[in-house]
Amino acid sequence: MKRLPIGILGSGKGSNCRAILERIRSGDLAAEARVVISDVLDAPILDIAREFGVTNAYLPPGQFRTRLQPEAEEHLVKLLREADVHLVVLAGFMRVLHAPMLTAFPQRIINIHPSLLPKFAGLEAWKQALAAAETVTGCTVHYVDEKIDHGRIIAQQEIAILPDDTPESLHVRIQMAEHELYPAAIAKFCEKYAAANL
Ligand code: GRF
């Protein structure tokens, strides 16, 4: 099967990136990680890329806190295009993307979020779910648009909230589910890519 060229963007520990790279290595995911890019110089996600022998890059984000400086975002587009990336996979990327990326990769940027969107967008969604006394939460894979944790939903996995759950215990179970849901969602893109013979 023709392999889908993906680029992974992240700012942190990279456990989702690891799950994806493991599935690629084991042959379960017909994708090819062309590049891993981080806006954080010493982010563990870059170490994971090196561990798996994947090209990786630090992208200096510029002066803003929650977005990339426009020149940096243009540079990101260039890096991803040079790597011939077809699908952009956000895995804990902590900046909101804007026009340069959204117009360069329409319907080709996806994200994973630790709640059942549209509930609990934003930071520490598992804590938000606990504080709201929910009995069920989960994780969501969705297309990225100009709003935070918004955009058409691709896949969701529910997780029961247990009576004795702490934020930590709940977060661990959500992340375990993410590590299954994200590769499975990407696999659907792989199938479409191979079928379309792009
Ligand atoms: C994940 O929990 C994801 O839902 C959120 O950021 C976190 C990234 O974790 N968008 P990791 O870096 O993949 O471990």
Side-chain angles (χ1 to χ4, degrees):
M1 186 155 135
K2 200 160 176 284
R3 294 196 294 159
L4 173 72
I6 65 171
I8 302 175
L9 311 187
S11 310
K13 73 179 180 330
S15 69
N16 280 283
C17 177
R18 178 181 289 285
I20 294 162
L21 296 180
E22 279 174 353
R23 299 299 169 90
I24 292 174
R25 189 164 63 184
S26 69
D28 291 339
L29 193 55
E32 181 184 349
R34 288 280 171 87
V35 66
V36 172
I37 299 172
S38 181
D39 59 323
V40 177
L41 181 60
D42 58 356
I45 193 171
L46 292 176
D47 296 326
I48 292 170
R50 288 177 204 118
E51 185 187 322
F52 281 79
V54 176
T55 303
N56 56 91
Y58 163 61
L59 177 77
Q63 59 182 321
F64 304 119
R65 206 170 49 83
T66 59
R67 60 178 293 176
L68 296 168
Q69 199 162 311
E71 298 75 21
E73 193 160 334
E74 296 285 1
H75 186 54
L76 177 60
V77 169
K78 188 165 171 280
L79 290 174
L80 292 166
R81 282 202 171 130
E82 280 171 3
D84 222 357
V85 162
H86 189 86
L87 181 72
V88 180
V89 174
L90 305 191
F93 189 66
M94 298 305 285
R95 290 172 191 268
V96 183
L97 294 175
H98 291 82
M101 278 294 290
L102 297 175
T103 52
F105 296 96
Q107 299 295 301
R108 287 193 189 176
I109 310 175
I110 62 174
N111 182 42
I112 189 157
H113 181 75
S115 77
L116 295 175
L117 289 173
K119 281 189 170 176
F120 312 125
L123 295 175
E124 299 188 319
W126 60 95
K127 286 190 186 168
Q128 297 185 48
L130 274 178
E134 297 280 332
T135 55
V136 175
T137 186
C139 49
T140 302
V141 177
H142 64 95
Y143 286 102
V144 169
D145 64 13
E146 68 286 349
K147 295 186 191 149
I148 295 175
D149 303 325
H150 191 263
R152 188 151 63 83
I153 290 170
I154 297 166
Q156 291 188 308
Q157 176 65 52
E158 290 188 355
I159 307 281
I161 300 181
L162 307 176
D164 58 352
D165 257 331
T166 62
E168 292 71 29
S169 66
L170 179 57
H171 189 207
V172 166
R173 287 207 311 290
I174 292 175
Q175 281 230 299
M176 285 170 61
E178 288 185 343
H179 301 160
E180 299 299 320
L181 186 70
Y182 217 2
I186 295 167
K188 300 270 185 219
F189 284 88
C190 295
E191 282 166 25
K192 277 188 213 144
Y193 180 76
N197 209 14
L198 291 167

PDB file of all heavy atoms in Angstrom, residues 12-17 91-92 111-114 171 175 178, ligand 1:
ATOM      1  N   GLY A  12       5.595  19.258  23.193  1.00  0.00           N
ATOM      2  CA  GLY A  12       5.845  18.678  24.506  1.00  0.00           C
ATOM      3  C   GLY A  12       6.404  17.287  24.501  1.00  0.00           C
ATOM      4  O   GLY A  12       7.315  16.964  23.745  1.00  0.00           O
ATOM      5  N   LYS A  13       5.770  16.438  25.334  1.00  0.00           N
ATOM      6  CA  LYS A  13       6.412  15.150  25.613  1.00  0.00           C
ATOM      7  C   LYS A  13       6.305  14.149  24.472  1.00  0.00           C
ATOM      8  O   LYS A  13       7.114  13.236  24.379  1.00  0.00           O
ATOM      9  CB  LYS A  13       5.908  14.573  26.931  1.00  0.00           C
ATOM     10  CG  LYS A  13       4.506  14.033  26.943  1.00  0.00           C
ATOM     11  CD  LYS A  13       4.256  13.484  28.355  1.00  0.00           C
ATOM     12  CE  LYS A  13       2.986  12.914  28.616  1.00  0.00           C
ATOM     13  NZ  LYS A  13       1.769  12.768  28.485  1.00  0.00           N
ATOM     14  N   GLY A  14       5.338  14.290  23.616  1.00  0.00           N
ATOM     15  CA  GLY A  14       5.346  13.512  22.374  1.00  0.00           C
ATOM     16  C   GLY A  14       4.883  12.077  22.497  1.00  0.00           C
ATOM     17  O   GLY A  14       5.227  11.243  21.672  1.00  0.00           O
ATOM     18  N   SER A  15       4.023  11.777  23.490  1.00  0.00           N
ATOM     19  CA  SER A  15       3.596  10.378  23.610  1.00  0.00           C
ATOM     20  C   SER A  15       2.712   9.960  22.432  1.00  0.00           C
ATOM     21  O   SER A  15       2.749   8.800  22.002  1.00  0.00           O
ATOM     22  CB  SER A  15       2.889  10.136  24.946  1.00  0.00           C
ATOM     23  OG  SER A  15       1.653  10.798  24.992  1.00  0.00           O
ATOM     24  N   ASN A  16       1.924  10.883  21.891  1.00  0.00           N
ATOM     25  CA  ASN A  16       1.133  10.544  20.703  1.00  0.00           C
ATOM     26  C   ASN A  16       2.027  10.347  19.488  1.00  0.00           C
ATOM     27  O   ASN A  16       1.795   9.445  18.680  1.00  0.00           O
ATOM     28  CB  ASN A  16       0.080  11.622  20.431  1.00  0.00           C
ATOM     29  CG  ASN A  16      -1.137  11.458  21.319  1.00  0.00           C
ATOM     30  OD1 ASN A  16      -1.978  10.609  21.089  1.00  0.00           O
ATOM     31  ND2 ASN A  16      -1.199  12.260  22.384  1.00  0.00           N
ATOM     32  N   CYS A  17       3.041  11.180  19.379  1.00  0.00           N
ATOM     33  CA  CYS A  17       4.005  11.023  18.285  1.00  0.00           C
ATOM     34  C   CYS A  17       4.649   9.646  18.379  1.00  0.00           C
ATOM     35  O   CYS A  17       4.756   8.932  17.379  1.00  0.00           O
ATOM     36  CB  CYS A  17       5.054  12.136  18.385  1.00  0.00           C
ATOM     37  SG  CYS A  17       6.361  12.024  17.172  1.00  0.00           S
ATOM     38  N   ALA A  91       0.250  17.024  17.447  1.00  0.00           N
ATOM     39  CA  ALA A  91       0.327  16.112  18.598  1.00  0.00           C
ATOM     40  C   ALA A  91       0.863  16.906  19.783  1.00  0.00           C
ATOM     41  O   ALA A  91       2.057  16.908  20.060  1.00  0.00           O
ATOM     42  CB  ALA A  91       1.226  14.926  18.259  1.00  0.00           C
ATOM     43  N   GLY A  92      -0.054  17.654  20.414  1.00  0.00           N
ATOM     44  CA  GLY A  92       0.363  18.497  21.525  1.00  0.00           C
ATOM     45  C   GLY A  92       1.069  19.751  21.061  1.00  0.00           C
ATOM     46  O   GLY A  92       1.991  20.231  21.724  1.00  0.00           O
ATOM     47  N   ASN A 111      -5.934  17.280  14.608  1.00  0.00           N
ATOM     48  CA  ASN A 111      -5.474  17.455  15.992  1.00  0.00           C
ATOM     49  C   ASN A 111      -6.166  16.415  16.871  1.00  0.00           C
ATOM     50  O   ASN A 111      -7.220  15.892  16.516  1.00  0.00           O
ATOM     51  CB  ASN A 111      -5.846  18.866  16.476  1.00  0.00           C
ATOM     52  CG  ASN A 111      -5.365  19.152  17.887  1.00  0.00           C
ATOM     53  OD1 ASN A 111      -4.243  18.807  18.258  1.00  0.00           O
ATOM     54  ND2 ASN A 111      -6.211  19.771  18.687  1.00  0.00           N
ATOM     55  N   ILE A 112      -5.546  16.132  18.007  1.00  0.00           N
ATOM     56  CA  ILE A 112      -6.230  15.299  19.005  1.00  0.00           C
ATOM     57  C   ILE A 112      -6.381  16.104  20.282  1.00  0.00           C
ATOM     58  O   ILE A 112      -5.474  16.856  20.672  1.00  0.00           O
ATOM     59  CB  ILE A 112      -5.503  13.955  19.252  1.00  0.00           C
ATOM     60  CG1 ILE A 112      -6.374  13.034  20.118  1.00  0.00           C
ATOM     61  CG2 ILE A 112      -4.108  14.163  19.834  1.00  0.00           C
ATOM     62  CD1 ILE A 112      -6.046  11.560  19.982  1.00  0.00           C
ATOM     63  N   HIS A 113      -7.563  15.965  20.907  1.00  0.00           N
ATOM     64  CA  HIS A 113      -7.867  16.770  22.099  1.00  0.00           C
ATOM     65  C   HIS A 113      -8.436  15.852  23.184  1.00  0.00           C
ATOM     66  O   HIS A 113      -9.262  14.979  22.887  1.00  0.00           O
ATOM     67  CB  HIS A 113      -8.880  17.864  21.733  1.00  0.00           C
ATOM     68  CG  HIS A 113      -9.223  18.732  22.896  1.00  0.00           C
ATOM     69  ND1 HIS A 113      -8.368  19.701  23.379  1.00  0.00           N
ATOM     70  CD2 HIS A 113     -10.311  18.746  23.703  1.00  0.00           C
ATOM     71  CE1 HIS A 113      -8.930  20.284  24.426  1.00  0.00           C
ATOM     72  NE2 HIS A 113     -10.093  19.727  24.651  1.00  0.00           N
ATOM     73  N   PRO A 114      -8.038  16.067  24.445  1.00  0.00           N
ATOM     74  CA  PRO A 114      -8.451  15.143  25.512  1.00  0.00           C
ATOM     75  C   PRO A 114      -9.828  15.421  26.122  1.00  0.00           C
ATOM     76  O   PRO A 114      -9.970  15.533  27.344  1.00  0.00           O
ATOM     77  CB  PRO A 114      -7.333  15.298  26.544  1.00  0.00           C
ATOM     78  CG  PRO A 114      -6.872  16.708  26.384  1.00  0.00           C
ATOM     79  CD  PRO A 114      -7.035  17.040  24.922  1.00  0.00           C
ATOM     80  N   HIS A 171      -6.337  11.445  33.404  1.00  0.00           N
ATOM     81  CA  HIS A 171      -5.490  11.875  32.284  1.00  0.00           C
ATOM     82  C   HIS A 171      -4.727  10.682  31.694  1.00  0.00           C
ATOM     83  O   HIS A 171      -4.614  10.547  30.471  1.00  0.00           O
ATOM     84  CB  HIS A 171      -4.518  12.967  32.756  1.00  0.00           C
ATOM     85  CG  HIS A 171      -3.769  13.605  31.644  1.00  0.00           C
ATOM     86  ND1 HIS A 171      -2.528  14.168  31.811  1.00  0.00           N
ATOM     87  CD2 HIS A 171      -4.066  13.746  30.339  1.00  0.00           C
ATOM     88  CE1 HIS A 171      -2.106  14.625  30.642  1.00  0.00           C
ATOM     89  NE2 HIS A 171      -3.008  14.401  29.738  1.00  0.00           N
ATOM     90  N   GLN A 175      -5.027   9.467  27.848  1.00  0.00           N
ATOM     91  CA  GLN A 175      -3.865   9.400  26.950  1.00  0.00           C
ATOM     92  C   GLN A 175      -3.706   7.996  26.353  1.00  0.00           C
ATOM     93  O   GLN A 175      -3.352   7.856  25.179  1.00  0.00           O
ATOM     94  CB  GLN A 175      -2.601   9.838  27.688  1.00  0.00           C
ATOM     95  CG  GLN A 175      -2.533  11.372  27.779  1.00  0.00           C
ATOM     96  CD  GLN A 175      -1.190  11.913  27.330  1.00  0.00           C
ATOM     97  OE1 GLN A 175      -0.168  11.589  27.919  1.00  0.00           O
ATOM     98  NE2 GLN A 175      -1.188  12.733  26.302  1.00  0.00           N
ATOM     99  N   GLU A 178      -5.976   7.900  23.580  1.00  0.00           N
ATOM    100  CA  GLU A 178      -5.464   8.714  22.465  1.00  0.00           C
ATOM    101  C   GLU A 178      -4.476   7.921  21.613  1.00  0.00           C
ATOM    102  O   GLU A 178      -4.472   8.026  20.386  1.00  0.00           O
ATOM    103  CB  GLU A 178      -4.742   9.957  22.995  1.00  0.00           C
ATOM    104  CG  GLU A 178      -5.661  11.009  23.573  1.00  0.00           C
ATOM    105  CD  GLU A 178      -4.908  12.268  23.983  1.00  0.00           C
ATOM    106  OE1 GLU A 178      -3.663  12.234  24.132  1.00  0.00           O
ATOM    107  OE2 GLU A 178      -5.566  13.293  24.164  1.00  0.00           O
TER     108      GLU A 178
HETATM  109  C1  GRF B   1      -2.506  15.194  24.234  1.00  0.00           C
HETATM  110  O1  GRF B   1      -3.144  14.788  25.409  1.00  0.00           O
HETATM  111  C2  GRF B   1      -3.469  15.849  23.293  1.00  0.00           C
HETATM  112  O2  GRF B   1      -4.777  15.490  23.528  1.00  0.00           O
HETATM  113  C3  GRF B   1      -3.284  17.313  23.540  1.00  0.00           C
HETATM  114  O3  GRF B   1      -1.948  17.457  23.895  1.00  0.00           O
HETATM  115  C4  GRF B   1      -1.479  16.280  24.502  1.00  0.00           C
HETATM  116  C5  GRF B   1      -0.157  15.952  23.932  1.00  0.00           C
HETATM  117  O4  GRF B   1       0.459  14.920  24.625  1.00  0.00           O
HETATM  118  N1  GRF B   1      -3.644  18.068  22.361  1.00  0.00           N
HETATM  119  P1  GRF B   1       1.739  14.225  24.051  1.00  0.00           P
HETATM  120  O5  GRF B   1       2.793  15.300  23.823  1.00  0.00           O
HETATM  121  O6  GRF B   1       1.349  13.547  22.777  1.00  0.00           O
HETATM  122  O7  GRF B   1       2.165  13.258  25.112  1.00  0.00           O
END
